[in-house]
């Protein structure tokens, strides 16, 4: 091939809608010397058989942003690239059968309103007026989204491809990638059966082949891609004369897309018939067993029909829209759709691998493809994304996602595709992947567990007779069998001593010549002295909050860095990229466990068990023995009371835990810890602390040293923002909430205008109030300012509090 490109800035592997969107968006940002490789024809994977629905609805802020952008792009794309497009923004109606579903809709509507999506809540009667064939007798409410609709996936992909080619990009069809090699400088050679291509970055956008492609990167620090493949069916009916008549009478319009989410299907007008797409509970995965191996090439192929699997949903749809029962089934599409364990795609840096990125495992690739291309191009060219995209970051998964986990979770997510994600609900599939050394002891004491980066932690401790069923958690409210127990646990920490088992704290030992200087060049602030600890923050190049770590200084060039469980691979990559070759980084997360021992009586509890100096001050650390076992004590407490973190090797922790319990400490769980920390105004990572906000907006100026000589990431941006003044400010608010506390990204109002959003909310049992942390317009961040927070459709009065903790504002108890 005389025109075969041997060099490119970026090589994208995979020619579906996501790959072509990524190529197009790279070109739009000025990188026009990139190459896309497709083993067959464009769209040959999941794209070609996709139904093509394009919703904006989501209760994830990041996903809604991405899908909203897709709708905006698709509306202009045909004209932008001069390519014919079949894009129908028909609007959609979602049916609510319960009060809880209406509350979910109200939450999504509020988020959509903030993003400029003009959603509306309708009565069932109003829905009947717009959709005359609909049965509405048993409905509680209806959500209408005028921007929803459908698009032809093949046309969309070809339009993106044309736009990319017109800007200079190359697309090589029938050119399968066969492997990759990384060179010493971190750049890549991508091998194909037609030759090699040298490039700076490589992108795995291989859809349901992404796991296979991902294996090539294991030699360069990669891991097995966490994914599986589901069999998804949808059926097309024969034509229905009444639909044709309705369309003609309504100016050629199509019926709104209907989603009966409590039954789990969508129903759409397809020409003059129906398209029914169920997500059945008795679902089926493929390519999960030795007798069902993934073929080398499944391009443009489908599986046989399996209508028995979806018969119940078909029956229900015919009862909801009786007109559907008048037509026969014309065609059934049964094809592969990739699923990640949480049903969300993987977009962003490939964990552990330099200059490699991922954009794959899209369950709703057509709806998200436009936004995904934008996000991927930003990661490559800017090194950061406009919106915080942790919800889809590949590093959100770590080493617990073996294939059994992926298969179980994929089946669970598919079978509950439209399920409500209640705040106290824990999904049961694929649990117990990572266990604390005292897991059995926690369970014996009534621990009701939750999974945190695969680690099992107690959310609350049930007493005999408490209802611990999954059904009890199906509420958006704070009231449930857990409420009294959380209150008791918080009171134990307030008045006596509590102990929380916290497995999975991400821990990195950083040591070697130059470690301190490298950390100074990474962190926005200063480092602690030897024998002490402090929080350090890392910003991106825009001055936004990338991460928070506890920095424990053991020696001049030796540190223990502790960070959130979910941040393990994210923060590992940050440290690895910042350290010189002379510095070693050891991940010791899995070898140790942590207990939080906290409360006004915690010194007395520990004094009989340890040889540690318990008079040493706040933010100090020391080696000691506890209950005769070697341990490490850190004088700090996320609960905001006198307390210590006790770190010990796994084998030593059971004896330590038993001794602390025997000395009078009461076990408490993660729900209580969340209540305790929010009363102190302590921020939670990827809620209150995210790249949606700058360090100055986040109220973290005291952790920024602009006068230090090191040019840390984001220094210039922070300096500029300080000179210009912040537009938003972080505040603590007390809320006259009803039964529900404010969830993440609830709208904050004043005088009929949205002026900000919450970043977290919970009931404070020590102060007896509902508390919300959030970001508001800077000129409103004055104590006493009255606002309203929209909580599941209800506007609740809120008051901005002083810039200090609500509980123990002078930190006297913490420093006791």
């Amino acid at each position: 091939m005389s025109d075969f490109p041997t060099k490119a800035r970026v090589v994208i592997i995979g020619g579906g809608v996501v790959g072509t969107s990524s190529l197009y968006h790279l070109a739009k940002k000025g990188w026009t010397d990139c190459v896309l490789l497709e083993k067959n024809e464009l769209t040959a994977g999941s794209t070609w058989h996709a139904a093509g629905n394009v919703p904006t609805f989501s209760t994830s802020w990041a996903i809604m942003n991405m899908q909203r952008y897709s709708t905006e792009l698709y509306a202009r794309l045909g004209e932008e690239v001069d390519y014919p497009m079949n894009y129908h923004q028909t609007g959609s109606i979602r049916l609510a059968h319960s009060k809880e579903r209406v509350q979910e809709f109200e939450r999504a509507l509020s988020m959509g309103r903030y993003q400029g999506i003009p959603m509306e809540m309708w009565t069932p009667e109003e829905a009947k007026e717009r959709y005359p064939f609909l049965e509405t007798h048993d409905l509680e409410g209806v959500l209408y989204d005028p921007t929803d609709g459908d698009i032809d996936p093949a046309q969309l992909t070809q339009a993106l491809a044309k736009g990319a080619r017109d800007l200079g990009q190359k697309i090589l069809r029938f050119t399968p990638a066969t492997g990759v090699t990384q060179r010493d400088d971190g750049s890549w050679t991508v091998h194909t059966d037609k030759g090699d291509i040298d490039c700076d970055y490589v992108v795995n956008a291989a859809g349901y082949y992404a796991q296979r492609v991902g294996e090539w990167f294991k030699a360069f620090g990669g891991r097995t891609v966490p994914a599986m493949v589901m069999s998804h069916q949808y059926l097309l009916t024969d034509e229905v004369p009444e639909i044709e008549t309705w369309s003609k009478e309504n100016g050629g319009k199509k019926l709104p897309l209907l989603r009966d989410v409590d039954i789990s299907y969508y129903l759409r007008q397809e020409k003059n018939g129906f398209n029914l797409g169920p997500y059945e509970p008795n679902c089926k995965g493929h390519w999960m067993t030795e007798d069902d191996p993934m073929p080398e090439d499944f391009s443009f192929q489908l599986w046989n029909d399996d209508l028995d699997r979806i018969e119940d949903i078909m029956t229900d749809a015919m009862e909801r829209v009786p007109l559907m029962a008048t037509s026969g089934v014309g065609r059934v599409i049964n094809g592969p759709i990739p699923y990640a364990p949480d049903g969300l795609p993987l977009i962003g840096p490939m964990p552990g691998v330099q200059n490699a990125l991922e954009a794959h495992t899209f369950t709703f690739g057509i709806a998200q493809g436009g936004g995904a291309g934008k996000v991927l191009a930003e990661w490559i060219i800017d090194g950061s994304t406009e919106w915080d995209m942790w919800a889809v970051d590949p590093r959100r998964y770590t080493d617990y996602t073996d294939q059994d986990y992926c298969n179980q979770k994929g089946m669970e997510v598919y079978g509950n595709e439209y399920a409500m994600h209640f705040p106290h609900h824990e999904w049961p599939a694929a649990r117990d992947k990572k266990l604390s050394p005292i897991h059995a002891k926690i369970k014996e004491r009534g621990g009701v567990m939750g999974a945190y980066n695969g680690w099992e932690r107690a959310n609350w401790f049930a007493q005999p007779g408490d209802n611990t069923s999954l059904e009890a958690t199906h509420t958006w409210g704070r009231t449930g069998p857990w409420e009294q127990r959380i209150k008791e646990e918080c009171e134990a920490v307030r008045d006596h001593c509590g102990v929380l088992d916290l497995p999975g704290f991400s821990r990195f030992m950083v040591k070697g010549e130059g470690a301190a200087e490298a950390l100074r060049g990474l962190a926005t602030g200063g480092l602690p002295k030897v024998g002490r600890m402090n929080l350090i923050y890392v910003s991106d190049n825009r001055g936004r909050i990338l991460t928070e770590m506890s920095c424990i200084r053991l020696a001049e060039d030796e540190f223990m860095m502790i960070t959130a469980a979910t941040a393990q691979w994210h923060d590992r990559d940050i440290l690895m990229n910042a350290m010189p070759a002379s510095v070693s980084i050891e991940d010791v997360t899995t070898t140790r466990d942590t207990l939080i021992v906290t409360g006004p009586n915690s010194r007395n509890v520990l004094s009989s068990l340890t040889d540690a100096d318990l008079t040493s001050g706040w933010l100090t650390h020391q080696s000691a023995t506890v209950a005769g076992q070697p341990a490490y004590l850190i004088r700090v407490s996320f609960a905001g009371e006198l307390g210590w973190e006790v770190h010990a090797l796994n084998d030593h922790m059971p004896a330590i835990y038993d001794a602390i319990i025997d000395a009078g400490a009461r076990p408490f769980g993660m729900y209580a810890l969340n209540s305790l920390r929010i009363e102190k105004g302590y921020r939670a990572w990827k809620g209150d602390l995210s790249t949606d906000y700058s360090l100055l907006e986040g109220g973290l100026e005291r952790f920024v040293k602009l006068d230090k000589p090191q040019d840390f990431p984001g220094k210039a941006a922070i300096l500029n923002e300080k000179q210009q003044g912040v537009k938003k400010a972080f505040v603590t608010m007390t809320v006259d909430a009803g039964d529900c506390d404010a969830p993440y990204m609830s709208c904050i109002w004043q005088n009929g205008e949205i002026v900000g959003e919450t970043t977290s909310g919970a009931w404070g049992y020590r102060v007896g109030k509902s508390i919300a942390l959030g970001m508001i317009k800077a000129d409103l961040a004055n104590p006493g300012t009255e606002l309203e927070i929209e909580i599941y459709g209800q506007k609740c009065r809120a008051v901005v509090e002083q810039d200090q903790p609500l509980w123990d504002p002078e930190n006297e108890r913490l420093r006791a």
Side-chain angles (χ1 to χ4, degrees):
M1 291 180 64
S2 59
D3 61 344
F4 184 85
T6 57
K7 291 186 182 297
R9 276 193 176 183
V10 182
V11 170
I12 297 169
I13 301 170
V17 66
V18 174
T20 54
S21 178
S22 300
L23 191 70
Y24 179 62
H25 282 86
L26 285 166
K28 292 282 285 182
K29 286 179 72 68
W31 282 29
T32 57
D33 48 354
C34 306
V35 172
L36 183 148
L37 302 175
E38 167 54 44
K39 69 188 297 183
N40 197 284
E41 181 57 89
L42 295 182
T43 79
S46 292
T47 298
W48 81 273
H49 64 75
N53 297 329
V54 188
T56 60
F57 179 95
S58 179
T59 52
S60 161
W61 186 253
I63 293 295
M64 182 176 276
N65 260 319
M66 201 161 61
Q67 294 179 168
R68 172 188 53 78
Y69 175 85
S70 291
T71 65
E72 295 167 354
L73 172 68
Y74 299 167
R76 67 175 188 266
L77 184 63
E79 184 176 344
E80 191 169 286
V81 304
D82 190 25
Y83 193 88
M85 300 284 291
N86 282 322
Y87 180 34
H88 312 107
Q89 286 191 288
T90 61
S92 72
I93 55 178
R94 286 175 185 259
L95 311 181
H97 293 240
S98 66
K99 175 177 69 75
E100 289 76 18
R101 184 66 80 174
V102 170
Q103 289 177 288
E104 181 201 45
F105 286 176
E106 291 279 12
R107 169 158 161 68
L109 182 149
S110 176
M111 291 169 57
R113 183 189 291 120
Y114 200 172
Q115 292 195 18
I117 304 168
M119 296 180 181
E120 301 172 20
M121 286 300 298
W122 286 353
T123 65
E125 293 73 25
E126 288 173 319
K128 179 82 170 178
E129 290 174 13
R130 276 91 163 179
Y131 200 119
F133 312 116
L134 183 67
E135 291 295 319
T136 61
H137 61 279
D138 57 346
L139 300 179
E140 289 285 332
V142 175
L143 176 68
Y144 174 65
D145 179 0
T147 66
D148 206 335
D150 62 88
I151 197 166
D152 183 311
Q155 283 185 326
L156 171 60
T157 305
Q158 295 297 342
L160 292 164
K162 180 181 185 297
R165 287 190 184 104
D166 288 349
L167 291 169
Q169 310 284 52
K170 289 189 179 296
I171 296 176
L172 305 182
R173 298 170 300 132
F174 303 102
T175 308
T178 57
V180 296
T181 301
Q182 190 167 38
R183 298 195 293 275
D184 291 342
D185 65 355
S187 62
W188 294 91
T189 298
V190 179
H191 310 293
T192 81
D193 59 358
K194 297 176 181 176
D196 291 347
I197 306 175
D198 295 334
C199 59
D200 298 323
Y201 299 91
V202 62
V203 178
N204 179 357
Y208 54 73
Y209 294 108
Q211 194 175 76
R212 183 173 286 171
V213 170
E215 294 298 299
W216 303 339
F217 294 88
K218 280 188 170 179
F220 311 105
R223 86 302 185 211
T224 298
V225 168
M228 57 86 68
V229 174
M230 291 299 300
S231 158
H232 176 59
Q233 298 182 94
Y234 65 91
L235 60 90
L236 305 175
T237 72
D238 296 329
E239 292 202 356
V240 181
E242 290 87 344
I243 292 181
E244 182 177 13
T245 300
W246 183 92
S247 290
K248 286 180 179 177
E249 291 174 350
N250 288 272
K253 288 198 308 183
K254 294 174 68 175
L255 287 164
L257 197 156
L258 171 71
R259 288 187 179 85
D260 196 337
V261 289
D262 290 310
I263 306 301
S264 196
Y265 67 86
Y266 68 82
L267 186 65
R268 175 181 110 198
Q269 180 179 337
E270 186 73 29
K271 296 181 180 177
N272 290 318
F274 286 109
N275 174 336
L276 173 68
Y279 290 89
E280 68 279 12
N282 57 328
C283 51
K284 183 176 183 180
H286 265 294
W287 305 334
M288 298 194 302
T289 58
E290 290 184 4
D291 60 353
D292 181 26
M294 175 185 265
E296 189 60 35
D297 189 356
F298 201 69
S299 299
F300 296 112
Q301 295 184 56
L302 297 171
W303 292 302
N304 293 330
D305 307 350
D306 191 3
L307 292 181
D308 289 347
R309 221 169 65 216
I310 60 175
E311 183 177 2
D312 290 347
I313 292 180
M314 290 170 60
T315 300
D316 200 284
M318 291 175 186
E319 293 174 355
R320 180 65 56 196
V321 182
L323 190 61
M324 187 187 166
T326 67
S327 178
V329 175
R331 189 182 179 203
V332 178
I333 311 295
N334 184 8
I337 297 184
Y339 266 73
D342 60 3
L344 303 183
L346 279 71
I347 317 171
M350 187 180 295
V353 186
Q354 187 180 6
N355 299 330
L357 296 99
E358 299 184 317
H360 57 68
T361 318
F362 284 78
T363 299
F364 299 101
I366 307 304
Q368 296 164 3
K374 173 186 187 294
V375 169
L376 195 279
E378 289 169 349
W379 268 123
I380 293 175
I381 297 176
D382 303 330
S384 57
T385 54
E386 177 185 357
W387 320 302
D388 188 281
M389 295 305 296
W390 179 245
V392 298
D393 194 305
R395 297 167 294 184
R396 70 189 187 272
Y397 295 118
T398 61
D399 56 355
Y400 62 94
T401 56
D402 57 22
Q403 198 58 49
D404 172 70
Y405 179 90
C406 295
N407 292 344
Q408 287 194 51
K409 296 302 286 186
M411 298 275 283
E412 181 180 63
V413 170
Y414 182 98
N416 295 277
E417 189 63 66
Y418 294 119
M420 291 175 276
H421 294 266
F422 297 109
H424 295 99
H425 180 77
E426 292 283 340
W427 293 96
R431 297 295 296 273
D432 294 350
K433 288 297 180 181
K434 286 187 172 184
L435 302 181
S436 154
I438 55 175
H439 177 77
K441 296 177 183 290
I442 300 296
K443 294 277 286 185
E444 286 169 6
R445 293 185 175 275
V448 181
M449 312 304 287
Y452 298 80
N453 193 35
W455 290 94
E456 295 290 324
R457 294 176 178 173
N459 283 328
W460 60 286
F461 284 84
Q463 298 296 318
D466 286 347
N467 183 358
T468 59
S469 68
L470 288 175
E471 290 73 23
T473 67
H474 292 175
T475 174
W476 301 109
R478 81 177 69 86
T479 301
W482 51 81
E483 184 180 24
Q484 178 62 24
R485 304 300 170 226
I486 298 171
K487 180 176 183 290
E488 292 166 357
E489 292 169 23
C490 290
E491 289 171 347
V493 172
R494 180 193 68 191
D495 300 334
H496 304 289
C497 177
V499 58
L500 170 67
D501 180 37
L502 204 64
F505 247 158
S506 301
R507 299 178 190 80
F508 303 94
M509 305 304 295
V510 179
K511 61 182 177 179
E513 184 179 352
E517 187 58 28
L519 284 172
R520 290 190 193 99
L522 174 66
T524 60
L527 302 182
K529 296 177 181 178
V530 175
R532 295 191 65 83
M533 67 159 293
N534 63 13
L535 286 177
I536 67 167
Y537 289 87
V538 180
S539 75
D540 65 14
N541 55 14
R542 302 163 300 174
R544 297 190 185 184
I545 305 165
L546 194 58
T547 197
E548 170 194 82
M549 302 185 200
S550 294
C551 178
I552 293 94
R553 194 164 192 174
L554 306 172
E556 184 62 30
D557 267 331
E558 184 176 354
F559 302 83
M560 179 164 60
M561 310 298 292
I562 302 179
T563 184
T566 52
Q568 183 181 2
W569 282 7
H570 178 276
D571 287 3
R572 177 198 65 183
D573 283 0
I574 290 174
L575 290 170
M576 293 291 288
N577 292 334
M579 293 299 127
S582 58
V583 175
S584 66
I585 299 174
E586 182 186 5
D587 186 338
V588 296
T589 300
T590 60
T591 63
R592 292 162 172 78
D593 191 21
T594 302
L595 300 178
I596 293 179
V597 183
T598 185
N601 201 37
S602 57
R603 183 177 279 122
N604 291 337
V605 165
L606 287 171
S607 62
S608 63
L609 306 176
T610 183
D611 57 0
D613 178 6
L614 298 180
T615 65
S616 62
W618 187 44
L619 302 181
T620 59
H621 55 89
Q622 59 187 302
S623 295
T625 61
V626 179
Q629 308 296 318
Y632 204 80
L633 272 68
I634 303 175
R635 174 80 191 274
V636 68
S637 171
F638 199 51
E641 300 282 354
L642 171 69
W644 285 262
E645 289 178 5
V646 180
H647 298 251
L649 292 172
N650 291 335
D651 289 347
H652 300 148
M653 191 55 85
I656 295 173
Y657 183 73
D658 285 346
I660 289 172
I661 291 288
D662 291 344
R666 172 171 176 161
F668 69 102
M670 296 298 292
Y671 292 163
L673 182 64
N674 187 54
S675 170
L676 296 163
R677 69 93 189 169
I678 207 167
E679 291 174 309
K680 296 293 293 180
Y682 294 159
R683 279 73 154 168
W685 190 66
K686 286 309 176 189
D688 314 300
L689 304 171
S690 82
T691 56
D692 281 331
Y693 310 114
S694 72
L695 270 85
L696 299 186
E697 288 174 334
L700 301 172
E701 188 170 358
R702 67 188 183 279
F703 297 100
V704 178
K705 292 182 66 174
L706 290 170
D707 58 348
K708 70 177 185 176
Q710 292 82 13
D711 189 23
F712 57 84
K715 185 176 184 178
I718 295 173
L719 180 60
N720 181 64
E721 186 182 21
K722 185 173 175 62
Q723 293 169 344
Q724 299 294 324
V726 296
K727 294 183 174 65
K728 285 184 168 182
F730 185 86
V731 293
T732 298
M733 296 161 285
T734 52
V735 191
D736 293 343
D739 298 330
C740 307
D741 300 308
Y744 174 66
M745 285 295 168
S746 297
C747 287
I748 303 174
W749 295 79
Q750 190 186 60
N751 299 327
E753 176 192 1
I754 297 175
V755 296
E757 68 275 359
T758 61
T759 54
S760 59
W763 187 267
Y765 289 92
R766 288 178 298 195
V767 300
K769 296 178 180 179
S770 183
I771 304 165
L773 307 182
M775 287 284 183
I776 62 174
K777 289 183 176 181
D779 59 351
L780 298 176
N782 303 306
T785 299
E786 292 199 11
L787 305 165
E788 291 179 301
I789 297 178
E790 187 174 359
I791 302 177
Y792 301 112
Q794 300 298 314
K795 288 184 179 177
C796 303
R797 177 179 175 270
V799 177
V800 176
E801 299 292 339
Q802 295 279 348
D803 185 18
Q804 61 186 22
L806 292 174
W807 175 254
D808 185 25
E810 302 300 324
N811 289 327
E812 295 172 353
R813 297 167 68 93
L814 196 63
R815 300 173 188 269

